[in-house]
Each structure stands twice: as C-alpha cells, then as structure tokens.
Amino acid sequence: MEAIKIRTIKPEDNQEIAKVIREVLIEMGVPKVGTAYEDEALDMMYETYNQQQRSYYVVEKDGEIIGGAGIAPLEKGEADICELQKMYFLPKARGKGAGAKMINTCLDFAKQQGFEKCYLETMPYMKEARRLYKKIGFTELEQPMGDTGHYSCQAWMIKDL
C-alpha cells in the first residue's frame, strides 16, 4: 500500500478534486450557497491556482485523490495576507496526520511568496478541523476579513507566518 503523498495539482485532477470537495461538503451538511460548494473555481482548480502567489495541493493515496488544500491571496484583503482555501479530506484521509502535513505545505508556500499572515474560514461545527487549526497556531477572529463570498462560513481564524 502506497503512503499518503501530497503533490501540486495537475490539470487532469480537476474533476476528481471537485468531486471530493463536494462530497465532503455534503457529508458535513455545509450549505450549498455562500460556501465553496458554489464557487466557479471548483471545476477548474488547476487553472484557478496556476497563477502568481497561488498553489493548490492534492493528497493522494494508492493513485486516488482523497483531499486537498490551497493558498491564494485573500480577496479584497491586505497584500500580505493569504487565505488557506478549500481544505477538505475524505473520511479515509482523516486522522492520519495528512491534515497537519497539508497545512504546513501550504504555509511553507505562503511564506515563500512573502505573505505575513494566513486567514481561513470554516464552519463553527467543524470541531476537528478547528482543533487542528488551533494546534498549528491559528487563532479565532470576531469577524471575517476580505471578501471571499463565503457568507455562510461563520468561523474565522488567522495565523502569523
């Protein structure tokens, strides 16, 4: 059995990562409106992240994509703030250390790009994810930053890089 591998997204991954993200959002009971579920980028992740100061990574095991996460500048935010985006893992990827490894991969990229802070949005009831974010050093915010369009996400966090 192949170990879990994190790699940069390829064009041929678009359909599979979109399916993974939508599956996890449905599993978690996330609203389809005002969240990543309705993002246009979801069906063209490679094209969306294959740009300046952006990167998206997939988690692969035995040739199957089982999760992913990305970094991009915070929409309508300060130039030194990036956002950890679209971090979703199928159940078979959880609890194996892949989440922490993925976040660190994303944060390393963010630092290389010159970002000084990393912001994220999530749902208040996603307790395991929020616990992981806190363990890595993210702290809670009272209100959202930038303008991500994800008005249904009601938990916001930030970390100094």
Side-chain angles (χ1 to χ4, degrees):
M1 186 184 277
E2 182 184 320
I4 288 176
K5 177 171 90 174
I6 294 176
R7 63 168 175 80
T8 307
I9 193 167
K10 299 175 187 171
E12 58 269 23
D13 298 330
N14 278 348
Q15 189 175 353
E16 197 172 349
I17 192 62
K19 182 176 173 247
V20 166
I21 292 170
R22 286 190 176 106
E23 190 175 313
V24 174
L25 289 169
I26 290 167
E27 172 203 348
M28 296 288 175
V30 173
K32 291 182 179 177
V33 177
T35 65
Y37 193 93
E38 69 176 356
D39 285 356
E40 288 180 25
L42 212 51
D43 292 307
M44 49 185 200
M45 297 287 278
Y46 173 81
E47 293 79 4
T48 299
Y49 287 90
N50 188 29
Q51 299 180 42
Q52 201 82 3
Q53 291 193 299
R54 295 172 179 256
S55 191
Y56 195 85
Y57 302 92
V58 296
V59 181
E60 191 177 62
K61 183 167 186 183
D62 299 326
E64 176 190 7
I65 292 175
I66 56 175
I71 286 286
L74 177 61
E75 285 291 322
K76 297 186 182 164
E78 295 176 29
D80 65 346
I81 301 176
C82 65
E83 182 183 11
L84 179 65
Q85 299 179 335
K86 295 177 180 59
M87 183 164 156
Y88 298 103
F89 292 160
L90 292 174
K92 61 177 116 181
R94 299 177 199 152
K96 296 172 174 45
K101 189 174 176 185
M102 175 63 85
I103 292 171
N104 288 323
T105 298
C106 288
L107 296 180
D108 286 346
F109 172 81
K111 289 177 201 170
Q112 291 168 10
Q113 298 303 305
F115 291 112
E116 294 180 19
K117 295 178 187 271
C118 185
Y119 169 79
L120 66 83
E121 297 177 330
T122 188
M123 303 301 277
Y125 56 82
M126 291 185 169
K127 293 182 181 3
E128 292 299 317
R130 291 176 61 214
R131 190 174 301 128
L132 175 60
Y133 298 141
K134 284 180 184 177
K135 184 177 177 183
I136 290 181
F138 282 86
T139 57
E140 295 187 12
L141 293 168
E142 294 292 318
Q143 60 190 28
M145 296 176 69
D147 183 13
T148 66
H150 297 160
Y151 55 84
S152 291
C153 293
Q154 297 295 310
W156 316 280
M157 302 178 88
I158 196 157
K159 176 180 172 42
D160 288 331
L161 300 178

